[in-house]
Amino acid sequence: MVVEAEDGAPRQLLRELHECLEEGDRAVNKPVMELDHYAAYVQMNDRFHSVIMRGCSNIALQRVMEMLDRQPFASPSAMLPMQSSMEEGHQWMRIAHLSHHAMVQAIERGQGSRAQALGEEHVEIARMNLDYALARPELAAELMPGMRLVAGKRGV
């Protein structure tokens, strides 16, 4: 993604990314998120990640991401049901969405290394969600029955 951002992103790609940002803003910038807002965010988040990957010309990275997306709980929105169930979830979603804004800004400015670093940091939110789910096996099993496949004998 570094080279692509530094070379400048096509206008259509930037337009699609900005549409995603606007959709995400409408979903998360509320005092309280309802189930419909979470659903809208999930759709936007999946689309945002898809647009980013489509705009990346790194075929090896695209293949790795396609493989990861097929793994349980590894897709961009896989852990969002846990976020919707927790007090901090809305705040975490806002932080994740702010990182979307920062990534798009870096891409627009041709700051490939910054965009890459922001993307790597963005992954940490997903890791925190997984840790949260694994620490609350009963809730995880209720919200995401397939979590047992990932947690194994940890009690989910």
Side-chain angles (χ1 to χ4, degrees), residues 98-112:
L98 285 173
S99 73
H100 290 160
H101 277 275
M103 281 185 264
V104 171
Q105 181 186 65
I107 292 167
E108 286 177 320
R109 292 180 178 176
Q111 300 169 328

Side-chain angles (χ1 to χ4, degrees), residues 2 8 10 58 61 95 99 102 113-114 143 151:
V2 174
N58 184 329
L61 179 61
I95 292 168
S99 73
S113 295
R114 179 173 174 243
L143 294 171

Side-chain angles (χ1 to χ4, degrees), residues 24-83:
D25 289 344
R26 285 192 297 274
V28 299
N29 293 334
K30 302 188 175 309
V32 176
M33 286 182 69
E34 303 294 333
L35 193 54
D36 289 348
H37 305 135
Y38 281 100
Y41 188 84
V42 166
Q43 284 186 314
M44 177 286 306
N45 192 54
D46 287 341
R47 182 171 166 232
F48 180 86
H49 286 256
S50 174
V51 171
I52 288 283
M53 290 312 302
R54 195 174 68 237
C56 170
S57 63
N58 184 329
I59 294 172
L61 179 61
Q62 290 173 341
R63 287 184 180 148
V64 167
M65 293 306 295
E66 286 173 13
M67 180 196 68
L68 287 173
D69 281 349
R70 290 191 297 269
Q71 301 303 310
F73 307 102
S75 69
S77 297
M79 298 307 293
L80 289 178
M82 286 303 295
Q83 281 186 317

